[in-house]
Amino acid sequence: MDITRIREDFPILGQKVYGKPLVYLDNAATTQKPLCVIDAVSNAYRNVNANVHRGVHFLSQQATERMEAARETVRRFIGAGSTEEVIFTRGTTESINLVASSFAKAFLKSGDEVLVSEMEHHSNIVPWQLLAERVGFKLLAIPVTADGLLDMEAFRNMFTERTKLVSVAHVSNVLGTVNPVREIVQTAHGHGVPVLIDGAQSVPHLPVNVRELDADFYAFSGHKVYGPTGIGVLYGKRELLEKMPPYQGGGEMIAHVSFEGTTFNELPFKFEAGTPDYIGAVALAEALDYLSAIGMEAVDRRERQLCSYALDAMGAIPDIRIIGNASDRCGVVSFLLGDIHPSDVGILLDKLGIAVRTGHHCAEPLMRRFGIPGTVRASLAIYNTEAEIDALVAGIDRIRKMF
Ligand code: PLP
Protein backbone atom coordinates (compact mmCIF):
# COMPACT_ATOMS: atom_id res chain seq x y z
CA MET A 1 0.00 0.00 0.00
CA ASP A 2 1.41 3.37 -1.03
CA ILE A 3 0.80 5.50 2.08
CA THR A 4 2.61 8.50 0.57
CA ARG A 5 0.10 8.50 -2.28
CA ILE A 6 -2.79 8.06 0.12
CA ARG A 7 -1.58 10.98 2.22
CA GLU A 8 -1.64 13.19 -0.85
CA ASP A 9 -5.39 12.62 -1.03
CA PHE A 10 -5.81 14.34 2.37
CA PRO A 11 -4.91 18.01 2.01
CA ILE A 12 -5.11 18.79 5.74
CA LEU A 13 -2.26 16.38 6.53
CA GLY A 14 0.24 18.69 4.85
CA GLN A 15 -0.35 21.32 7.55
CA LYS A 16 2.13 22.46 10.12
CA VAL A 17 1.04 23.24 13.67
CA TYR A 18 3.32 25.40 15.83
CA GLY A 19 5.79 25.11 12.95
CA LYS A 20 5.88 21.31 13.21
CA PRO A 21 4.40 18.77 10.81
CA LEU A 22 0.92 17.77 11.95
CA VAL A 23 0.80 14.22 13.34
CA TYR A 24 -2.91 13.48 13.47
CA LEU A 25 -3.64 10.62 15.85
CA ASP A 26 -7.20 11.52 16.88
CA ASN A 27 -8.91 9.44 14.24
CA ALA A 28 -11.29 7.68 16.60
CA ALA A 29 -12.83 11.10 17.27
CA THR A 30 -13.03 11.97 13.59
CA THR A 31 -11.04 11.14 10.48
CA GLN A 32 -9.70 13.61 7.95
CA LYS A 33 -11.37 13.81 4.54
CA PRO A 34 -9.91 12.92 1.17
CA LEU A 35 -10.22 15.45 -1.64
CA CYS A 36 -12.84 13.33 -3.41
CA VAL A 37 -15.15 13.74 -0.40
CA ILE A 38 -14.50 17.47 -0.10
CA ASP A 39 -15.13 17.82 -3.84
CA ALA A 40 -18.29 15.71 -3.64
CA VAL A 41 -19.79 18.20 -1.16
CA SER A 42 -18.77 21.17 -3.25
CA ASN A 43 -19.89 19.60 -6.56
CA ALA A 44 -23.26 18.61 -5.17
CA TYR A 45 -23.95 22.17 -3.99
CA ARG A 46 -22.66 23.63 -7.25
CA ASN A 47 -24.47 21.33 -9.63
CA VAL A 48 -27.30 19.26 -8.20
CA ASN A 49 -28.70 20.99 -5.16
CA ALA A 50 -32.45 20.59 -4.77
CA ASN A 51 -34.62 19.03 -2.12
CA VAL A 52 -35.04 15.32 -2.68
CA HIS A 53 -38.03 12.97 -3.09
CA ARG A 54 -40.68 15.63 -3.62
CA GLY A 55 -39.78 17.47 -6.77
CA VAL A 56 -40.92 16.81 -10.31
CA HIS A 57 -38.25 19.09 -11.67
CA PHE A 58 -34.92 18.03 -13.14
CA LEU A 59 -32.62 19.06 -10.29
CA SER A 60 -34.76 17.44 -7.64
CA GLN A 61 -34.84 14.20 -9.58
CA GLN A 62 -31.07 14.32 -10.02
CA ALA A 63 -30.51 14.97 -6.32
CA THR A 64 -32.91 12.15 -5.43
CA GLU A 65 -31.16 9.74 -7.77
CA ARG A 66 -27.82 10.59 -6.22
CA MET A 67 -29.08 10.16 -2.70
CA GLU A 68 -30.63 6.80 -3.51
CA ALA A 69 -27.46 5.73 -5.34
CA ALA A 70 -25.58 6.64 -2.15
CA ARG A 71 -27.93 4.39 -0.19
CA GLU A 72 -27.10 1.56 -2.60
CA THR A 73 -23.36 2.23 -2.06
CA VAL A 74 -23.86 1.96 1.70
CA ARG A 75 -25.89 -1.24 1.25
CA ARG A 76 -23.10 -2.81 -0.77
CA PHE A 77 -20.37 -1.59 1.61
CA ILE A 78 -21.95 -3.23 4.67
CA GLY A 79 -23.45 -6.20 2.83
CA ALA A 80 -27.09 -5.41 3.62
CA GLY A 81 -29.76 -7.30 1.69
CA SER A 82 -31.82 -4.30 0.61
CA THR A 83 -31.67 -0.52 0.53
CA GLU A 84 -34.94 -0.56 2.52
CA GLU A 85 -32.80 -1.66 5.45
CA VAL A 86 -30.40 1.30 5.17
CA ILE A 87 -31.59 4.38 7.08
CA PHE A 88 -29.69 7.64 6.94
CA THR A 89 -29.31 9.30 10.34
CA ARG A 90 -27.06 12.01 11.78
CA GLY A 91 -24.58 9.45 13.07
CA THR A 92 -24.09 6.53 15.42
CA THR A 93 -25.64 8.44 18.30
CA GLU A 94 -28.85 9.13 16.44
CA SER A 95 -28.94 5.59 15.05
CA ILE A 96 -28.83 4.16 18.58
CA ASN A 97 -31.38 6.69 19.85
CA LEU A 98 -33.65 5.70 16.97
CA VAL A 99 -33.50 2.01 17.87
CA ALA A 100 -33.78 2.66 21.60
CA SER A 101 -36.84 4.83 21.21
CA SER A 102 -38.64 2.87 18.53
CA PHE A 103 -37.69 -0.64 19.69
CA ALA A 104 -38.74 0.26 23.24
CA LYS A 105 -42.17 1.40 22.03
CA ALA A 106 -42.68 -1.78 20.04
CA PHE A 107 -41.09 -4.42 22.21
CA LEU A 108 -40.10 -3.32 25.73
CA LYS A 109 -42.12 -3.21 28.90
CA SER A 110 -41.53 -2.79 32.59
CA GLY A 111 -39.33 -5.55 34.03
CA ASP A 112 -37.58 -6.35 30.72
CA GLU A 113 -33.79 -6.33 30.48
CA VAL A 114 -31.43 -4.79 27.92
CA LEU A 115 -27.75 -5.81 27.92
CA VAL A 116 -24.97 -3.38 27.07
CA SER A 117 -21.34 -3.65 28.21
CA GLU A 118 -18.99 -1.85 30.53
CA MET A 119 -16.90 -0.72 27.56
CA GLU A 120 -19.67 1.14 25.76
CA HIS A 121 -19.45 4.73 24.58
CA HIS A 122 -21.98 6.93 26.38
CA SER A 123 -23.96 6.92 23.12
CA ASN A 124 -24.75 3.28 23.75
CA ILE A 125 -25.62 3.75 27.42
CA VAL A 126 -27.48 7.01 27.91
CA PRO A 127 -30.24 6.52 25.26
CA TRP A 128 -31.12 3.24 27.01
CA GLN A 129 -31.01 4.86 30.45
CA LEU A 130 -33.36 7.63 29.37
CA LEU A 131 -35.86 5.06 28.14
CA ALA A 132 -35.33 2.65 31.01
CA GLU A 133 -36.57 5.37 33.34
CA ARG A 134 -39.68 5.89 31.26
CA VAL A 135 -40.52 2.29 30.37
CA GLY A 136 -39.23 0.61 33.51
CA PHE A 137 -36.84 -1.89 31.90
CA LYS A 138 -33.45 -2.68 33.42
CA LEU A 139 -30.12 -1.90 31.81
CA LEU A 140 -27.44 -4.47 32.66
CA ALA A 141 -23.73 -4.25 31.76
CA ILE A 142 -21.59 -7.15 30.55
CA PRO A 143 -18.38 -6.97 32.62
CA VAL A 144 -14.97 -6.29 31.09
CA THR A 145 -11.87 -8.31 32.07
CA ALA A 146 -8.56 -6.80 33.21
CA ASP A 147 -7.23 -7.37 29.66
CA GLY A 148 -10.06 -5.27 28.23
CA LEU A 149 -12.15 -8.11 26.83
CA LEU A 150 -15.84 -8.75 27.26
CA ASP A 151 -16.34 -11.43 29.90
CA MET A 152 -18.10 -13.86 27.58
CA GLU A 153 -18.89 -16.38 30.28
CA ALA A 154 -20.61 -13.71 32.34
CA PHE A 155 -22.41 -12.58 29.18
CA ARG A 156 -23.75 -16.07 28.49
CA ASN A 157 -25.05 -16.25 32.07
CA MET A 158 -26.87 -12.93 31.90
CA PHE A 159 -29.75 -14.15 29.75
CA THR A 160 -33.14 -14.59 31.36
CA GLU A 161 -36.62 -14.73 29.88
CA ARG A 162 -36.72 -10.97 30.48
CA THR A 163 -33.74 -10.24 28.18
CA LYS A 164 -35.07 -8.39 25.12
CA LEU A 165 -32.07 -6.80 23.41
CA VAL A 166 -28.26 -6.80 23.42
CA SER A 167 -26.45 -3.63 22.31
CA VAL A 168 -22.64 -3.71 22.13
CA ALA A 169 -19.73 -2.05 20.37
CA HIS A 170 -17.97 -3.96 17.60
CA VAL A 171 -14.69 -2.20 18.49
CA SER A 172 -14.01 -0.30 21.72
CA ASN A 173 -13.12 3.36 21.21
CA VAL A 174 -10.83 3.22 24.27
CA LEU A 175 -9.25 -0.23 24.23
CA GLY A 176 -9.29 -1.04 20.53
CA THR A 177 -10.68 -4.46 21.46
CA VAL A 178 -12.47 -6.13 18.56
CA ASN A 179 -15.38 -7.82 20.27
CA PRO A 180 -16.50 -11.30 19.12
CA VAL A 181 -19.72 -9.92 17.70
CA ARG A 182 -20.50 -13.01 15.61
CA GLU A 183 -20.43 -15.11 18.77
CA ILE A 184 -22.42 -12.48 20.66
CA VAL A 185 -25.11 -12.52 17.98
CA GLN A 186 -25.24 -16.33 17.92
CA THR A 187 -25.55 -16.50 21.71
CA ALA A 188 -28.26 -13.83 21.79
CA HIS A 189 -30.17 -15.40 18.90
CA GLY A 190 -30.03 -18.72 20.77
CA HIS A 191 -32.22 -16.96 23.34
CA GLY A 192 -34.38 -15.30 20.67
CA VAL A 193 -32.85 -11.89 21.48
CA PRO A 194 -31.89 -9.39 18.74
CA VAL A 195 -28.55 -7.54 18.74
CA LEU A 196 -27.60 -3.97 17.92
CA ILE A 197 -23.93 -3.47 17.05
CA ASP A 198 -22.32 -0.07 17.48
CA GLY A 199 -20.00 0.01 14.49
CA ALA A 200 -18.63 3.54 15.00
CA GLN A 201 -15.07 2.22 15.43
CA SER A 202 -15.28 -0.87 13.20
CA VAL A 203 -16.64 0.31 9.84
CA PRO A 204 -13.61 2.60 9.28
CA HIS A 205 -11.12 -0.21 9.96
CA LEU A 206 -12.51 -3.68 9.20
CA PRO A 207 -14.52 -5.34 6.47
CA VAL A 208 -18.07 -5.46 7.85
CA ASN A 209 -20.84 -7.62 6.48
CA VAL A 210 -24.06 -7.25 8.44
CA ARG A 211 -25.59 -10.36 6.91
CA GLU A 212 -22.58 -12.54 7.72
CA LEU A 213 -22.69 -11.20 11.27
CA ASP A 214 -26.46 -11.73 11.26
CA ALA A 215 -26.71 -8.38 13.10
CA ASP A 216 -30.24 -7.15 13.67
CA PHE A 217 -29.13 -3.51 13.83
CA TYR A 218 -25.79 -1.96 12.93
CA ALA A 219 -24.92 1.72 13.46
CA PHE A 220 -22.05 3.88 12.24
CA SER A 221 -21.03 7.51 11.64
CA GLY A 222 -19.97 9.06 8.34
CA HIS A 223 -17.38 11.40 9.85
CA LYS A 224 -15.36 8.54 11.36
CA VAL A 225 -15.14 6.77 8.02
CA TYR A 226 -13.59 9.65 6.01
CA GLY A 227 -17.02 11.06 5.19
CA PRO A 228 -18.65 14.33 6.21
CA THR A 229 -20.11 15.25 9.58
CA GLY A 230 -23.84 15.14 10.13
CA ILE A 231 -24.54 11.87 8.32
CA GLY A 232 -24.62 8.32 9.61
CA VAL A 233 -26.31 5.03 9.03
CA LEU A 234 -28.58 2.62 10.78
CA TYR A 235 -28.92 -0.80 9.23
CA GLY A 236 -31.87 -2.80 10.52
CA LYS A 237 -33.44 -6.08 9.50
CA ARG A 238 -36.60 -5.40 7.57
CA GLU A 239 -38.81 -7.68 9.69
CA LEU A 240 -37.86 -5.72 12.83
CA LEU A 241 -38.00 -2.25 11.23
CA GLU A 242 -41.46 -3.01 9.86
CA LYS A 243 -42.76 -3.74 13.35
CA MET A 244 -41.20 -0.61 14.84
CA PRO A 245 -43.04 2.74 14.94
CA PRO A 246 -41.52 5.92 13.43
CA TYR A 247 -38.84 7.63 15.50
CA GLN A 248 -39.67 11.24 14.60
CA GLY A 249 -42.63 12.78 12.84
CA GLY A 250 -42.54 15.22 9.95
CA GLY A 251 -42.25 15.34 6.19
CA GLU A 252 -40.83 12.43 4.18
CA MET A 253 -41.86 9.78 6.72
CA ILE A 254 -45.61 9.93 6.00
CA ALA A 255 -47.84 8.41 3.34
CA HIS A 256 -50.97 10.50 4.11
CA VAL A 257 -51.77 12.96 6.86
CA SER A 258 -55.18 13.93 8.15
CA PHE A 259 -56.47 15.01 11.53
CA GLU A 260 -58.31 11.71 11.74
CA GLY A 261 -55.05 9.79 11.47
CA THR A 262 -51.77 9.58 9.60
CA THR A 263 -50.27 6.69 7.67
CA PHE A 264 -46.56 6.22 7.34
CA ASN A 265 -44.25 5.91 4.41
CA GLU A 266 -42.55 2.63 3.57
CA LEU A 267 -39.02 1.68 4.61
CA PRO A 268 -36.55 3.26 4.88
CA PHE A 269 -38.35 6.63 4.62
CA LYS A 270 -40.58 5.87 7.62
CA PHE A 271 -37.50 6.56 9.75
CA GLU A 272 -36.22 9.62 7.88
CA ALA A 273 -38.39 12.53 8.99
CA GLY A 274 -37.67 15.92 7.45
CA THR A 275 -35.27 16.92 4.72
CA PRO A 276 -32.43 14.41 4.86
CA ASP A 277 -28.76 15.31 4.58
CA TYR A 278 -28.74 14.36 0.90
CA ILE A 279 -25.42 16.10 0.26
CA GLY A 280 -23.89 14.29 3.21
CA ALA A 281 -25.21 10.98 1.91
CA VAL A 282 -23.60 11.55 -1.48
CA ALA A 283 -20.28 12.53 0.12
CA LEU A 284 -20.43 9.54 2.47
CA ALA A 285 -20.86 7.25 -0.55
CA GLU A 286 -17.78 8.88 -2.06
CA ALA A 287 -15.82 8.09 1.12
CA LEU A 288 -16.98 4.46 1.05
CA ASP A 289 -16.04 4.16 -2.62
CA TYR A 290 -12.63 5.60 -1.74
CA LEU A 291 -12.15 2.88 0.88
CA SER A 292 -13.50 0.17 -1.41
CA ALA A 293 -10.94 1.14 -4.04
CA ILE A 294 -8.18 0.50 -1.47
CA GLY A 295 -10.04 -2.58 -0.21
CA MET A 296 -11.17 -3.06 3.38
CA GLU A 297 -9.08 -6.24 3.78
CA ALA A 298 -6.00 -4.21 2.83
CA VAL A 299 -7.03 -1.36 5.18
CA ASP A 300 -7.47 -3.85 8.01
CA ARG A 301 -4.11 -5.54 7.35
CA ARG A 302 -2.22 -2.27 7.12
CA GLU A 303 -3.78 -0.76 10.25
CA ARG A 304 -3.17 -3.90 12.31
CA GLN A 305 0.46 -3.81 11.21
CA LEU A 306 0.73 -0.15 12.24
CA CYS A 307 -1.09 -0.82 15.50
CA SER A 308 1.34 -3.59 16.49
CA TYR A 309 4.25 -1.34 15.51
CA ALA A 310 2.79 1.31 17.86
CA LEU A 311 2.20 -1.20 20.66
CA ASP A 312 5.77 -2.52 20.43
CA ALA A 313 7.34 0.94 20.31
CA MET A 314 5.14 2.45 23.01
CA GLY A 315 5.33 -0.64 25.20
CA ALA A 316 9.11 -0.18 25.38
CA ILE A 317 8.78 3.29 27.00
CA PRO A 318 9.53 3.10 30.74
CA ASP A 319 6.61 4.08 33.03
CA ILE A 320 3.99 3.64 30.32
CA ARG A 321 0.84 1.67 31.08
CA ILE A 322 -1.15 0.59 28.07
CA ILE A 323 -4.81 0.05 28.89
CA GLY A 324 -6.27 -3.02 27.20
CA ASN A 325 -4.44 -6.08 26.02
CA ALA A 326 -6.71 -7.74 23.48
CA SER A 327 -4.98 -9.86 20.85
CA ASP A 328 -7.72 -8.95 18.37
CA ARG A 329 -7.54 -5.17 18.36
CA CYS A 330 -7.47 -2.32 15.93
CA GLY A 331 -7.02 1.35 15.59
CA VAL A 332 -6.56 2.55 19.16
CA VAL A 333 -3.83 2.65 21.80
CA SER A 334 -4.80 4.13 25.18
CA PHE A 335 -2.15 4.72 27.80
CA LEU A 336 -1.07 6.42 31.00
CA LEU A 337 2.40 7.76 31.63
CA GLY A 338 3.61 7.35 35.21
CA ASP A 339 1.41 9.53 37.38
CA ILE A 340 1.33 12.40 34.89
CA HIS A 341 -2.22 13.56 34.26
CA PRO A 342 -3.44 12.50 30.78
CA SER A 343 -4.39 16.07 29.85
CA ASP A 344 -0.84 17.29 30.64
CA VAL A 345 0.52 14.63 28.29
CA GLY A 346 -1.99 15.67 25.62
CA ILE A 347 -1.18 19.38 25.93
CA LEU A 348 2.57 18.77 25.71
CA LEU A 349 2.19 16.42 22.72
CA ASP A 350 0.09 19.09 21.03
CA LYS A 351 2.99 21.52 21.33
CA LEU A 352 5.02 19.00 19.33
CA GLY A 353 2.35 18.97 16.62
CA ILE A 354 0.91 15.64 17.75
CA ALA A 355 -2.88 15.47 18.06
CA VAL A 356 -4.13 12.87 20.53
CA ARG A 357 -7.20 12.79 22.72
CA THR A 358 -7.23 12.74 26.51
CA GLY A 359 -9.91 12.15 29.10
CA HIS A 360 -12.61 9.55 29.58
CA HIS A 361 -13.42 9.25 25.86
CA CYS A 362 -17.16 9.22 26.62
CA ALA A 363 -16.69 5.91 28.42
CA GLU A 364 -16.80 6.82 32.11
CA PRO A 365 -18.02 3.38 33.26
CA LEU A 366 -14.96 1.82 31.60
CA MET A 367 -12.65 4.32 33.35
CA ARG A 368 -14.31 3.35 36.62
CA ARG A 369 -13.76 -0.33 35.77
CA PHE A 370 -10.02 0.31 35.44
CA GLY A 371 -9.93 2.75 38.38
CA ILE A 372 -8.42 5.52 36.27
CA PRO A 373 -9.53 9.13 35.64
CA GLY A 374 -8.88 8.91 31.92
CA THR A 375 -6.25 7.99 29.37
CA VAL A 376 -4.24 9.45 26.53
CA ARG A 377 -5.50 7.90 23.31
CA ALA A 378 -3.63 7.66 20.04
CA SER A 379 -5.95 6.43 17.30
CA LEU A 380 -4.92 5.41 13.83
CA ALA A 381 -6.18 5.77 10.29
CA ILE A 382 -5.11 4.56 6.88
CA TYR A 383 -2.87 7.59 6.29
CA ASN A 384 -0.77 7.25 9.46
CA THR A 385 2.83 6.14 9.19
CA GLU A 386 5.53 4.44 11.24
CA ALA A 387 7.40 7.77 11.23
CA GLU A 388 4.41 9.38 12.96
CA ILE A 389 4.42 6.65 15.59
CA ASP A 390 8.16 7.30 16.06
CA ALA A 391 7.37 11.00 16.58
CA LEU A 392 4.72 10.07 19.15
CA VAL A 393 7.11 7.75 20.99
CA ALA A 394 9.86 10.41 21.00
CA GLY A 395 7.33 12.95 22.28
CA ILE A 396 6.14 10.69 25.09
CA ASP A 397 9.71 9.92 26.07
CA ARG A 398 10.55 13.61 26.17
CA ILE A 399 7.55 14.34 28.41
CA ARG A 400 8.52 11.44 30.69
CA LYS A 401 12.01 12.89 31.11
CA MET A 402 10.62 16.40 31.76
CA PHE A 403 8.61 15.14 34.69
N1 PLP B 1 -19.89 4.70 19.65
C1 PLP B 1 -18.56 4.65 19.66
C2 PLP B 1 -17.87 3.34 19.95
C3 PLP B 1 -17.82 5.80 19.40
O1 PLP B 1 -16.49 5.75 19.42
C4 PLP B 1 -18.51 7.01 19.14
C5 PLP B 1 -17.76 8.27 18.93
O2 PLP B 1 -16.65 8.42 19.34
C6 PLP B 1 -19.90 7.01 19.12
C7 PLP B 1 -20.56 5.84 19.38
C8 PLP B 1 -20.68 8.24 18.82
O3 PLP B 1 -20.48 8.63 17.52
P1 PLP B 1 -21.11 10.00 16.97
O4 PLP B 1 -20.69 11.05 17.92
O5 PLP B 1 -20.52 10.14 15.62
O6 PLP B 1 -22.58 9.82 16.93
Side-chain angles (χ1 to χ4, degrees), residues 28 91-93 121 123 171 173 198 200-201 221 223-224:
T92 309
T93 302
H121 188 279
S123 291
V171 173
N173 67 313
D198 171 353
Q201 300 296 346
S221 298
H223 71 99
K224 293 187 198 283

Side-chain angles (χ1 to χ4, degrees), residues 160-346:
T160 70
E161 70 285 357
R162 294 180 298 278
T163 314
K164 291 293 154 60
L165 187 78
V166 175
S167 187
V168 289
H170 195 160
V171 173
S172 158
N173 67 313
V174 177
L175 308 163
T177 309
V178 181
N179 287 321
V181 282
R182 181 78 194 95
E183 190 185 334
I184 289 169
V185 169
Q186 276 171 346
T187 304
H189 285 180
H191 295 274
V193 173
V195 178
L196 184 161
I197 300 172
D198 171 353
Q201 300 296 346
S202 46
V203 172
H205 305 290
L206 315 168
V208 168
N209 185 305
V210 292
R211 269 186 301 175
E212 275 171 22
L213 292 174
D214 202 15
D216 300 282
F217 302 102
Y218 201 100
F220 70 97
S221 298
H223 71 99
K224 293 187 198 283
V225 65
Y226 309 100
T229 54
I231 185 89
V233 170
L234 173 68
Y235 160 80
K237 279 187 186 161
R238 185 207 310 250
E239 57 268 32
L240 280 166
L241 293 176
E242 272 172 352
K243 289 186 191 136
M244 288 160 51
Y247 167 53
Q248 293 179 326
E252 301 265 353
M253 50 72 73
I254 49 87
H256 296 288
V257 178
S258 77
F259 285 106
E260 284 68 50
T262 290
T263 53
F264 304 119
N265 205 341
E266 59 209 22
L267 291 174
F269 310 109
K270 177 173 101 174
F271 290 106
E272 293 179 353
T275 298
D277 184 2
Y278 50 89
I279 307 269
V282 167
L284 170 60
E286 196 68 39
L288 299 183
D289 281 342
Y290 179 84
L291 278 175
S292 296
I294 301 173
M296 285 312 291
E297 277 84 10
V299 168
D300 186 19
R301 250 192 329 271
R302 161 65 191 157
E303 289 189 2
R304 279 179 197 259
Q305 187 189 2
L306 190 64
C307 190
S308 40
Y309 182 87
L311 284 168
D312 287 348
M314 292 164 75
I317 301 171
D319 302 329
I320 205 165
R321 175 180 166 203
I322 291 173
I323 310 294
N325 189 30
S327 54
D328 193 3
R329 69 186 289 157
C330 78
V332 175
V333 183
S334 270
F335 64 94
L336 288 164
L337 189 60
D339 54 8
I340 312 171
H341 197 277
S343 69
D344 290 337
V345 178

Side-chain angles (χ1 to χ4, degrees), residues 6 10 35 38-39 55 61 72 101 105 114 127 129 140 171 182 235 251 260-261 356 377 382 392:
I6 288 177
F10 292 81
L35 254 181
I38 299 167
D39 287 347
Q61 286 179 19
E72 167 59 19
S101 152
K105 278 189 198 128
V114 170
Q129 281 178 331
L140 303 174
V171 173
R182 181 78 194 95
Y235 160 80
E260 284 68 50
V356 293
R377 179 185 73 183
I382 191 62
L392 171 69

